[in-house]
Every structure is written in structure tokens, then in C-alpha cells.
Amino acid sequence: MNSSPGTVPVPLTMPDLGVAFPGPFPTSPHAVTVERELRRWAAERNLPVPEEELRALCGITSQGITRALPTADLDSLLLAAELLLWLVAFDDTYGEVTAATDPATLAGHIDELTGVLTSSTPTARPGPFTTALRHLLNRLGERATPSQYLDLTGHLRGNLVGLLWEAQHLTDPSRVRLHTYCTMRPLTVFAHTIIALTPIVLSYELPDRQGIPPLVDRGETAVACLVGWVNDLASYSREASRSPVSPLSLPTLLMHERHLPLPEAFTAAARMCEEQAVIARALIDELSADASSPLKRHAQALKHIVHAFIWHINHDRYTTPVT
């Protein structure tokens, strides 16, 4: 029997990713400092997020970043955490459930942010997210090479496009084909943006995209796919409890396309995650075997990004019921 929208039968099967990515996962010794400074930065930027929600976002963002970048120095961790917090807070404020009822507001904000990313003339009265993004880009531009900066801002534009696409389908996920969703999901989970940020904050440079080994693109794509699906399973119960419509996510689309009840769809999604983890790990290991030091560092960075997303499966943000 299919569950009705907004309900989540228990138990739901979570993937076992320990074979491909065994723990424990390393973390930075700066984790406590990053969370404290991230809260201060968010307060200074006046992001329009309720205080309790912002505190929770600062917690999961700081802990996630210190696992994704366990060897980074404190300044680098803070810069990465601030950019990721900005993305997640914007999505929580104007995307997700809010976008389903007010897509025009989301589109208006995205127009303004796209102007920042393309260095167009600032609006007369920029909002707090726009001001914060301009501040972040100025600092990133001081550290990034021109190609790194273009790569990062290109992925940020992709994130905004992804949020608009997602908003169009939140009220009726059944219209989305599984193949299309798997193509778009890395944009809405910000995976490639985090990957593009890593060489900037860890101070290494990959070859130009025209000359980069195909293995790099394959590894990044495999990781982005994996972390999107992992996030879907981690957040499913939370998203389902907030909306009368089933979440736009991997289990929901498996229910529709394969005519499965939710528990079986969830089990199928968990199995897909486990299989994708094996693929991603094999590509990371192959990339690690390259004699080029930047490619070795990039492989390690991809592994740590996966660690961060696996870690957050059991975070309170997803395991605590929405009230």
C-alpha cells in the first residue's frame, strides 16, 4: 500500500555506506571555533532566518564543513562555511516549501543574485542575501585563480537555476522523470559548488577544464550523484512532515516510476546509494593513484566531501521531528 502524502511509515531503510567509506571520519580541530564565528558572521549579515533555525543551520554547516575540509586552516574553513551557510539559508528561506507557494519571490531574488554573479550594476537596495554574496565573492576573488573563480561562480549560477527548477515541481513531483531528477539533483544539493570551492580554500590548482583528465569529471559526477541521493534519504522524513505533498526526491520518484510503496522505494533508493558509493570510491581510488599531486589532493577532497554527507544522515536537523 502506498503511503498518503505527508506520512512516513517506519522503519525506513538507510544505506550502509561503511564498506566503501568506512569511518571514523576525520574532522578539524577548529570545529567549535568555526561554529562560533559562523554565528557571528550570520548575525552581522542580518540574514532573514529565525534565530533558532539559524543556530541549527550554523551547527550542521560548521560540523559538515570541518569534515569536508578537515585539513584546512581556520580562515579557509570560515570562508567555506560562510558560503555554504549562505546557500543553505537562502534555500531554506526562499526555496523548498516557500517556493511552492511563492515562486515569484524566489525568481526575483535569483534575478538579483545572478546580477551579482555576473558583476552587473548593483540594485539600489540590495537585500541581505545579495549583500552577503557580494561580500563573499570579493573575498573568494582575492584567493581564487581566474579559472577557479569562474568555475565556482558558474556552479553558483547552476544552483540558482536548480532552485528555480525545483520550485516548479514541488507541488507535483509525479511530473518529474527519474532521469531528469538525477541530472538536476547535484545542482540543488550544491555538490559541485562545494567541490569547486575546495581547491580555492586548500590552495591547489587543477589543470584547465580543457586539459583535465576525464577521470576527474567522472569522479566529481559520481560524488555529486551520491551525496544528492544520500541527502534525499536523510531529509525525507523531515520534508514529508512539512508538506501535504510527497517530497521531490529519489524515493518519491521511485514510488511513481516503479509503482512501489514507500518502504520498498526507500529500500531501492538505499541500495542505489550503496552501489553508487562503490562506484564513487573506485573512481576516487583511481584518481588517488595519479602521480600528479593536485589530482591526489583532489581525490582526497572528494573523499572528505562524501564523509561529510554520510555523517549528516544522523544529524538532529533530519532526525528531530518538525514541530
PDB file of all heavy atoms in Angstrom, residues 170-202:
ATOM      1  N   LEU A 170       7.674  21.262  -7.013  1.00  0.00           N
ATOM      2  CA  LEU A 170       7.447  20.868  -5.624  1.00  0.00           C
ATOM      3  C   LEU A 170       6.012  20.440  -5.348  1.00  0.00           C
ATOM      4  O   LEU A 170       5.766  19.558  -4.524  1.00  0.00           O
ATOM      5  CB  LEU A 170       7.825  22.026  -4.683  1.00  0.00           C
ATOM      6  CG  LEU A 170       9.322  22.305  -4.529  1.00  0.00           C
ATOM      7  CD1 LEU A 170       9.543  23.583  -3.742  1.00  0.00           C
ATOM      8  CD2 LEU A 170      10.011  21.137  -3.840  1.00  0.00           C
ATOM      9  N   THR A 171       5.060  21.062  -6.024  1.00  0.00           N
ATOM     10  CA  THR A 171       3.661  20.739  -5.741  1.00  0.00           C
ATOM     11  C   THR A 171       3.187  19.482  -6.459  1.00  0.00           C
ATOM     12  O   THR A 171       2.120  18.962  -6.143  1.00  0.00           O
ATOM     13  CB  THR A 171       2.740  21.915  -6.141  1.00  0.00           C
ATOM     14  OG1 THR A 171       2.930  22.210  -7.532  1.00  0.00           O
ATOM     15  CG2 THR A 171       3.066  23.150  -5.315  1.00  0.00           C
ATOM     16  N   ASP A 172       3.949  18.994  -7.430  1.00  0.00           N
ATOM     17  CA  ASP A 172       3.559  17.779  -8.153  1.00  0.00           C
ATOM     18  C   ASP A 172       4.807  17.037  -8.633  1.00  0.00           C
ATOM     19  O   ASP A 172       5.144  17.070  -9.822  1.00  0.00           O
ATOM     20  CB  ASP A 172       2.651  18.123  -9.338  1.00  0.00           C
ATOM     21  CG  ASP A 172       2.069  16.871  -9.995  1.00  0.00           C
ATOM     22  OD1 ASP A 172       2.277  15.759  -9.453  1.00  0.00           O
ATOM     23  OD2 ASP A 172       1.418  17.005 -11.049  1.00  0.00           O
ATOM     24  N   PRO A 173       5.514  16.353  -7.719  1.00  0.00           N
ATOM     25  CA  PRO A 173       6.737  15.645  -8.112  1.00  0.00           C
ATOM     26  C   PRO A 173       6.499  14.555  -9.153  1.00  0.00           C
ATOM     27  O   PRO A 173       7.435  14.152  -9.839  1.00  0.00           O
ATOM     28  CB  PRO A 173       7.220  15.029  -6.787  1.00  0.00           C
ATOM     29  CG  PRO A 173       6.578  15.838  -5.719  1.00  0.00           C
ATOM     30  CD  PRO A 173       5.257  16.270  -6.279  1.00  0.00           C
ATOM     31  N   SER A 174       5.258  14.080  -9.282  1.00  0.00           N
ATOM     32  CA  SER A 174       4.980  12.991 -10.214  1.00  0.00           C
ATOM     33  C   SER A 174       5.240  13.386 -11.664  1.00  0.00           C
ATOM     34  O   SER A 174       5.376  12.522 -12.533  1.00  0.00           O
ATOM     35  CB  SER A 174       3.531  12.517 -10.064  1.00  0.00           C
ATOM     36  OG  SER A 174       2.621  13.548 -10.430  1.00  0.00           O
ATOM     37  N   ARG A 175       5.336  14.686 -11.939  1.00  0.00           N
ATOM     38  CA  ARG A 175       5.604  15.132 -13.311  1.00  0.00           C
ATOM     39  C   ARG A 175       7.073  14.967 -13.695  1.00  0.00           C
ATOM     40  O   ARG A 175       7.419  15.053 -14.875  1.00  0.00           O
ATOM     41  CB  ARG A 175       5.232  16.617 -13.461  1.00  0.00           C
ATOM     42  CG  ARG A 175       3.754  16.924 -13.270  1.00  0.00           C
ATOM     43  CD  ARG A 175       3.505  18.411 -13.459  1.00  0.00           C
ATOM     44  NE  ARG A 175       4.273  19.219 -12.507  1.00  0.00           N
ATOM     45  CZ  ARG A 175       4.374  20.550 -12.573  1.00  0.00           C
ATOM     46  NH1 ARG A 175       3.782  21.204 -13.565  1.00  0.00           N
ATOM     47  NH2 ARG A 175       5.079  21.207 -11.667  1.00  0.00           N
ATOM     48  N   VAL A 176       7.937  14.743 -12.727  1.00  0.00           N
ATOM     49  CA  VAL A 176       9.380  14.692 -12.974  1.00  0.00           C
ATOM     50  C   VAL A 176       9.810  13.260 -13.254  1.00  0.00           C
ATOM     51  O   VAL A 176       9.477  12.341 -12.501  1.00  0.00           O
ATOM     52  CB  VAL A 176      10.158  15.250 -11.763  1.00  0.00           C
ATOM     53  CG1 VAL A 176      11.662  15.201 -12.024  1.00  0.00           C
ATOM     54  CG2 VAL A 176       9.709  16.669 -11.460  1.00  0.00           C
ATOM     55  N   ARG A 177      10.544  13.075 -14.329  1.00  0.00           N
ATOM     56  CA  ARG A 177      11.097  11.762 -14.633  1.00  0.00           C
ATOM     57  C   ARG A 177      12.354  11.528 -13.793  1.00  0.00           C
ATOM     58  O   ARG A 177      13.100  12.467 -13.480  1.00  0.00           O
ATOM     59  CB  ARG A 177      11.453  11.659 -16.121  1.00  0.00           C
ATOM     60  CG  ARG A 177      10.288  11.905 -17.060  1.00  0.00           C
ATOM     61  CD  ARG A 177       9.186  10.895 -16.876  1.00  0.00           C
ATOM     62  NE  ARG A 177       9.644   9.545 -17.199  1.00  0.00           N
ATOM     63  CZ  ARG A 177       8.907   8.446 -16.993  1.00  0.00           C
ATOM     64  NH1 ARG A 177       7.711   8.555 -16.418  1.00  0.00           N
ATOM     65  NH2 ARG A 177       9.374   7.265 -17.330  1.00  0.00           N
ATOM     66  N   LEU A 178      12.581  10.280 -13.448  1.00  0.00           N
ATOM     67  CA  LEU A 178      13.715   9.942 -12.592  1.00  0.00           C
ATOM     68  C   LEU A 178      15.034  10.368 -13.229  1.00  0.00           C
ATOM     69  O   LEU A 178      15.920  10.904 -12.546  1.00  0.00           O
ATOM     70  CB  LEU A 178      13.718   8.437 -12.311  1.00  0.00           C
ATOM     71  CG  LEU A 178      14.820   7.914 -11.389  1.00  0.00           C
ATOM     72  CD1 LEU A 178      14.746   8.556 -10.016  1.00  0.00           C
ATOM     73  CD2 LEU A 178      14.716   6.387 -11.264  1.00  0.00           C
ATOM     74  N   HIS A 179      15.186  10.163 -14.527  1.00  0.00           N
ATOM     75  CA  HIS A 179      16.420  10.535 -15.205  1.00  0.00           C
ATOM     76  C   HIS A 179      16.668  12.042 -15.106  1.00  0.00           C
ATOM     77  O   HIS A 179      17.793  12.485 -14.842  1.00  0.00           O
ATOM     78  CB  HIS A 179      16.372  10.115 -16.671  1.00  0.00           C
ATOM     79  CG  HIS A 179      17.539  10.595 -17.473  1.00  0.00           C
ATOM     80  ND1 HIS A 179      18.798  10.020 -17.377  1.00  0.00           N
ATOM     81  CD2 HIS A 179      17.669  11.620 -18.363  1.00  0.00           C
ATOM     82  CE1 HIS A 179      19.630  10.653 -18.172  1.00  0.00           C
ATOM     83  NE2 HIS A 179      18.980  11.621 -18.785  1.00  0.00           N
ATOM     84  N   THR A 180      15.601  12.827 -15.317  1.00  0.00           N
ATOM     85  CA  THR A 180      15.735  14.287 -15.216  1.00  0.00           C
ATOM     86  C   THR A 180      16.123  14.696 -13.803  1.00  0.00           C
ATOM     87  O   THR A 180      16.998  15.551 -13.606  1.00  0.00           O
ATOM     88  CB  THR A 180      14.414  14.970 -15.608  1.00  0.00           C
ATOM     89  OG1 THR A 180      14.060  14.582 -16.929  1.00  0.00           O
ATOM     90  CG2 THR A 180      14.534  16.483 -15.526  1.00  0.00           C
ATOM     91  N   TYR A 181      15.498  14.069 -12.827  1.00  0.00           N
ATOM     92  CA  TYR A 181      15.804  14.400 -11.437  1.00  0.00           C
ATOM     93  C   TYR A 181      17.267  14.105 -11.109  1.00  0.00           C
ATOM     94  O   TYR A 181      17.943  14.919 -10.470  1.00  0.00           O
ATOM     95  CB  TYR A 181      14.900  13.615 -10.493  1.00  0.00           C
ATOM     96  CG  TYR A 181      15.174  13.912  -9.040  1.00  0.00           C
ATOM     97  CD1 TYR A 181      14.778  15.123  -8.478  1.00  0.00           C
ATOM     98  CD2 TYR A 181      15.849  13.000  -8.236  1.00  0.00           C
ATOM     99  CE1 TYR A 181      15.048  15.413  -7.154  1.00  0.00           C
ATOM    100  CE2 TYR A 181      16.122  13.277  -6.922  1.00  0.00           C
ATOM    101  CZ  TYR A 181      15.714  14.488  -6.376  1.00  0.00           C
ATOM    102  OH  TYR A 181      15.999  14.777  -5.065  1.00  0.00           O
ATOM    103  N   CYS A 182      17.756  12.953 -11.544  1.00  0.00           N
ATOM    104  CA  CYS A 182      19.146  12.597 -11.254  1.00  0.00           C
ATOM    105  C   CYS A 182      20.122  13.567 -11.911  1.00  0.00           C
ATOM    106  O   CYS A 182      21.223  13.778 -11.400  1.00  0.00           O
ATOM    107  CB  CYS A 182      19.426  11.165 -11.705  1.00  0.00           C
ATOM    108  SG  CYS A 182      18.586   9.911 -10.700  1.00  0.00           S
ATOM    109  N   THR A 183      19.708  14.168 -13.032  1.00  0.00           N
ATOM    110  CA  THR A 183      20.542  15.173 -13.693  1.00  0.00           C
ATOM    111  C   THR A 183      20.552  16.482 -12.913  1.00  0.00           C
ATOM    112  O   THR A 183      21.592  17.140 -12.780  1.00  0.00           O
ATOM    113  CB  THR A 183      20.030  15.433 -15.121  1.00  0.00           C
ATOM    114  OG1 THR A 183      20.094  14.210 -15.860  1.00  0.00           O
ATOM    115  CG2 THR A 183      20.874  16.488 -15.820  1.00  0.00           C
ATOM    116  N   MET A 184      19.402  16.860 -12.362  1.00  0.00           N
ATOM    117  CA  MET A 184      19.261  18.154 -11.685  1.00  0.00           C
ATOM    118  C   MET A 184      19.660  18.114 -10.210  1.00  0.00           C
ATOM    119  O   MET A 184      20.038  19.144  -9.650  1.00  0.00           O
ATOM    120  CB  MET A 184      17.818  18.647 -11.799  1.00  0.00           C
ATOM    121  CG  MET A 184      17.359  18.923 -13.217  1.00  0.00           C
ATOM    122  SD  MET A 184      18.322  20.227 -14.038  1.00  0.00           S
ATOM    123  CE  MET A 184      17.872  21.658 -13.036  1.00  0.00           C
ATOM    124  N   ARG A 185      19.593  16.964  -9.595  1.00  0.00           N
ATOM    125  CA  ARG A 185      19.791  16.895  -8.149  1.00  0.00           C
ATOM    126  C   ARG A 185      21.137  17.464  -7.682  1.00  0.00           C
ATOM    127  O   ARG A 185      21.183  18.156  -6.658  1.00  0.00           O
ATOM    128  CB  ARG A 185      19.626  15.446  -7.671  1.00  0.00           C
ATOM    129  CG  ARG A 185      19.763  15.274  -6.160  1.00  0.00           C
ATOM    130  CD  ARG A 185      18.778  16.141  -5.410  1.00  0.00           C
ATOM    131  NE  ARG A 185      18.814  15.899  -3.976  1.00  0.00           N
ATOM    132  CZ  ARG A 185      18.825  16.863  -3.052  1.00  0.00           C
ATOM    133  NH1 ARG A 185      18.829  18.136  -3.431  1.00  0.00           N
ATOM    134  NH2 ARG A 185      18.833  16.565  -1.789  1.00  0.00           N
ATOM    135  N   PRO A 186      22.262  17.218  -8.374  1.00  0.00           N
ATOM    136  CA  PRO A 186      23.518  17.823  -7.898  1.00  0.00           C
ATOM    137  C   PRO A 186      23.469  19.339  -7.791  1.00  0.00           C
ATOM    138  O   PRO A 186      24.174  19.925  -6.961  1.00  0.00           O
ATOM    139  CB  PRO A 186      24.535  17.364  -8.953  1.00  0.00           C
ATOM    140  CG  PRO A 186      23.999  16.076  -9.453  1.00  0.00           C
ATOM    141  CD  PRO A 186      22.507  16.283  -9.491  1.00  0.00           C
ATOM    142  N   LEU A 187      22.622  19.993  -8.613  1.00  0.00           N
ATOM    143  CA  LEU A 187      22.505  21.447  -8.531  1.00  0.00           C
ATOM    144  C   LEU A 187      21.826  21.877  -7.239  1.00  0.00           C
ATOM    145  O   LEU A 187      22.194  22.888  -6.637  1.00  0.00           O
ATOM    146  CB  LEU A 187      21.714  21.988  -9.726  1.00  0.00           C
ATOM    147  CG  LEU A 187      22.301  21.761 -11.113  1.00  0.00           C
ATOM    148  CD1 LEU A 187      21.384  22.346 -12.176  1.00  0.00           C
ATOM    149  CD2 LEU A 187      23.686  22.372 -11.228  1.00  0.00           C
ATOM    150  N   THR A 188      20.819  21.130  -6.812  1.00  0.00           N
ATOM    151  CA  THR A 188      20.042  21.546  -5.646  1.00  0.00           C
ATOM    152  C   THR A 188      20.645  21.072  -4.326  1.00  0.00           C
ATOM    153  O   THR A 188      20.225  21.537  -3.261  1.00  0.00           O
ATOM    154  CB  THR A 188      18.593  21.053  -5.762  1.00  0.00           C
ATOM    155  OG1 THR A 188      18.569  19.628  -5.903  1.00  0.00           O
ATOM    156  CG2 THR A 188      17.925  21.659  -6.981  1.00  0.00           C
ATOM    157  N   VAL A 189      21.627  20.173  -4.386  1.00  0.00           N
ATOM    158  CA  VAL A 189      22.324  19.763  -3.163  1.00  0.00           C
ATOM    159  C   VAL A 189      23.645  20.505  -3.022  1.00  0.00           C
ATOM    160  O   VAL A 189      24.372  20.336  -2.041  1.00  0.00           O
ATOM    161  CB  VAL A 189      22.542  18.231  -3.151  1.00  0.00           C
ATOM    162  CG1 VAL A 189      23.722  17.817  -4.022  1.00  0.00           C
ATOM    163  CG2 VAL A 189      22.714  17.690  -1.733  1.00  0.00           C
ATOM    164  N   PHE A 190      23.986  21.340  -4.026  1.00  0.00           N
ATOM    165  CA  PHE A 190      25.185  22.200  -4.009  1.00  0.00           C
ATOM    166  C   PHE A 190      26.485  21.411  -4.057  1.00  0.00           C
ATOM    167  O   PHE A 190      27.544  21.911  -3.655  1.00  0.00           O
ATOM    168  CB  PHE A 190      25.181  23.114  -2.775  1.00  0.00           C
ATOM    169  CG  PHE A 190      23.862  23.774  -2.493  1.00  0.00           C
ATOM    170  CD1 PHE A 190      23.385  23.892  -1.195  1.00  0.00           C
ATOM    171  CD2 PHE A 190      23.081  24.285  -3.524  1.00  0.00           C
ATOM    172  CE1 PHE A 190      22.167  24.505  -0.937  1.00  0.00           C
ATOM    173  CE2 PHE A 190      21.860  24.898  -3.274  1.00  0.00           C
ATOM    174  CZ  PHE A 190      21.401  25.006  -1.977  1.00  0.00           C
ATOM    175  N   ALA A 191      26.433  20.189  -4.562  1.00  0.00           N
ATOM    176  CA  ALA A 191      27.610  19.319  -4.523  1.00  0.00           C
ATOM    177  C   ALA A 191      28.767  19.870  -5.337  1.00  0.00           C
ATOM    178  O   ALA A 191      29.912  19.939  -4.860  1.00  0.00           O
ATOM    179  CB  ALA A 191      27.235  17.921  -5.023  1.00  0.00           C
ATOM    180  N   HIS A 192      28.505  20.256  -6.583  1.00  0.00           N
ATOM    181  CA  HIS A 192      29.595  20.732  -7.436  1.00  0.00           C
ATOM    182  C   HIS A 192      30.163  22.062  -6.936  1.00  0.00           C
ATOM    183  O   HIS A 192      31.341  22.361  -7.166  1.00  0.00           O
ATOM    184  CB  HIS A 192      29.120  20.868  -8.875  1.00  0.00           C
ATOM    185  CG  HIS A 192      29.025  19.556  -9.600  1.00  0.00           C
ATOM    186  ND1 HIS A 192      30.129  18.784  -9.890  1.00  0.00           N
ATOM    187  CD2 HIS A 192      27.943  18.874 -10.065  1.00  0.00           C
ATOM    188  CE1 HIS A 192      29.737  17.678 -10.521  1.00  0.00           C
ATOM    189  NE2 HIS A 192      28.425  17.711 -10.644  1.00  0.00           N
ATOM    190  N   THR A 193      29.344  22.859  -6.275  1.00  0.00           N
ATOM    191  CA  THR A 193      29.833  24.119  -5.715  1.00  0.00           C
ATOM    192  C   THR A 193      30.837  23.849  -4.594  1.00  0.00           C
ATOM    193  O   THR A 193      31.878  24.506  -4.500  1.00  0.00           O
ATOM    194  CB  THR A 193      28.664  24.970  -5.211  1.00  0.00           C
ATOM    195  OG1 THR A 193      27.786  25.236  -6.301  1.00  0.00           O
ATOM    196  CG2 THR A 193      29.150  26.278  -4.620  1.00  0.00           C
ATOM    197  N   ILE A 194      30.532  22.891  -3.745  1.00  0.00           N
ATOM    198  CA  ILE A 194      31.459  22.526  -2.677  1.00  0.00           C
ATOM    199  C   ILE A 194      32.752  21.963  -3.281  1.00  0.00           C
ATOM    200  O   ILE A 194      33.858  22.278  -2.825  1.00  0.00           O
ATOM    201  CB  ILE A 194      30.818  21.507  -1.720  1.00  0.00           C
ATOM    202  CG1 ILE A 194      29.580  22.121  -1.060  1.00  0.00           C
ATOM    203  CG2 ILE A 194      31.809  21.053  -0.663  1.00  0.00           C
ATOM    204  CD1 ILE A 194      28.757  21.132  -0.248  1.00  0.00           C
ATOM    205  N   ILE A 195      32.611  21.147  -4.326  1.00  0.00           N
ATOM    206  CA  ILE A 195      33.788  20.596  -4.985  1.00  0.00           C
ATOM    207  C   ILE A 195      34.632  21.718  -5.592  1.00  0.00           C
ATOM    208  O   ILE A 195      35.864  21.716  -5.484  1.00  0.00           O
ATOM    209  CB  ILE A 195      33.370  19.575  -6.060  1.00  0.00           C
ATOM    210  CG1 ILE A 195      32.739  18.332  -5.413  1.00  0.00           C
ATOM    211  CG2 ILE A 195      34.564  19.172  -6.925  1.00  0.00           C
ATOM    212  CD1 ILE A 195      32.087  17.371  -6.399  1.00  0.00           C
ATOM    213  N   ALA A 196      33.991  22.686  -6.233  1.00  0.00           N
ATOM    214  CA  ALA A 196      34.720  23.801  -6.854  1.00  0.00           C
ATOM    215  C   ALA A 196      35.369  24.702  -5.808  1.00  0.00           C
ATOM    216  O   ALA A 196      36.405  25.329  -6.068  1.00  0.00           O
ATOM    217  CB  ALA A 196      33.772  24.623  -7.725  1.00  0.00           C
ATOM    218  N   LEU A 197      34.786  24.780  -4.636  1.00  0.00           N
ATOM    219  CA  LEU A 197      35.330  25.607  -3.555  1.00  0.00           C
ATOM    220  C   LEU A 197      36.601  25.008  -2.964  1.00  0.00           C
ATOM    221  O   LEU A 197      37.494  25.734  -2.513  1.00  0.00           O
ATOM    222  CB  LEU A 197      34.263  25.754  -2.464  1.00  0.00           C
ATOM    223  CG  LEU A 197      34.574  26.598  -1.241  1.00  0.00           C
ATOM    224  CD1 LEU A 197      34.784  28.055  -1.638  1.00  0.00           C
ATOM    225  CD2 LEU A 197      33.427  26.492  -0.225  1.00  0.00           C
ATOM    226  N   THR A 198      36.715  23.698  -3.012  1.00  0.00           N
ATOM    227  CA  THR A 198      37.794  23.003  -2.319  1.00  0.00           C
ATOM    228  C   THR A 198      39.194  23.411  -2.783  1.00  0.00           C
ATOM    229  O   THR A 198      40.055  23.711  -1.941  1.00  0.00           O
ATOM    230  CB  THR A 198      37.594  21.480  -2.441  1.00  0.00           C
ATOM    231  OG1 THR A 198      36.324  21.132  -1.885  1.00  0.00           O
ATOM    232  CG2 THR A 198      38.677  20.733  -1.690  1.00  0.00           C
ATOM    233  N   PRO A 199      39.486  23.442  -4.091  1.00  0.00           N
ATOM    234  CA  PRO A 199      40.845  23.870  -4.481  1.00  0.00           C
ATOM    235  C   PRO A 199      41.174  25.293  -4.047  1.00  0.00           C
ATOM    236  O   PRO A 199      42.345  25.607  -3.797  1.00  0.00           O
ATOM    237  CB  PRO A 199      40.816  23.755  -6.018  1.00  0.00           C
ATOM    238  CG  PRO A 199      39.728  22.800  -6.319  1.00  0.00           C
ATOM    239  CD  PRO A 199      38.688  23.044  -5.267  1.00  0.00           C
ATOM    240  N   ILE A 200      40.155  26.151  -3.957  1.00  0.00           N
ATOM    241  CA  ILE A 200      40.393  27.540  -3.550  1.00  0.00           C
ATOM    242  C   ILE A 200      40.845  27.597  -2.096  1.00  0.00           C
ATOM    243  O   ILE A 200      41.847  28.238  -1.763  1.00  0.00           O
ATOM    244  CB  ILE A 200      39.136  28.396  -3.768  1.00  0.00           C
ATOM    245  CG1 ILE A 200      38.738  28.407  -5.246  1.00  0.00           C
ATOM    246  CG2 ILE A 200      39.345  29.820  -3.249  1.00  0.00           C
ATOM    247  CD1 ILE A 200      37.412  29.088  -5.523  1.00  0.00           C
ATOM    248  N   VAL A 201      40.112  26.911  -1.224  1.00  0.00           N
ATOM    249  CA  VAL A 201      40.422  27.025   0.203  1.00  0.00           C
ATOM    250  C   VAL A 201      41.584  26.128   0.620  1.00  0.00           C
ATOM    251  O   VAL A 201      42.223  26.381   1.654  1.00  0.00           O
ATOM    252  CB  VAL A 201      39.174  26.736   1.063  1.00  0.00           C
ATOM    253  CG1 VAL A 201      38.077  27.735   0.759  1.00  0.00           C
ATOM    254  CG2 VAL A 201      38.666  25.317   0.872  1.00  0.00           C
ATOM    255  N   LEU A 202      41.898  25.088  -0.172  1.00  0.00           N
ATOM    256  CA  LEU A 202      43.038  24.228   0.159  1.00  0.00           C
ATOM    257  C   LEU A 202      44.286  24.568  -0.660  1.00  0.00           C
ATOM    258  O   LEU A 202      45.302  23.889  -0.549  1.00  0.00           O
ATOM    259  CB  LEU A 202      42.663  22.752  -0.058  1.00  0.00           C
ATOM    260  CG  LEU A 202      41.617  22.181   0.899  1.00  0.00           C
ATOM    261  CD1 LEU A 202      41.383  20.705   0.615  1.00  0.00           C
ATOM    262  CD2 LEU A 202      42.013  22.385   2.362  1.00  0.00           C
TER     263      LEU A 202
END
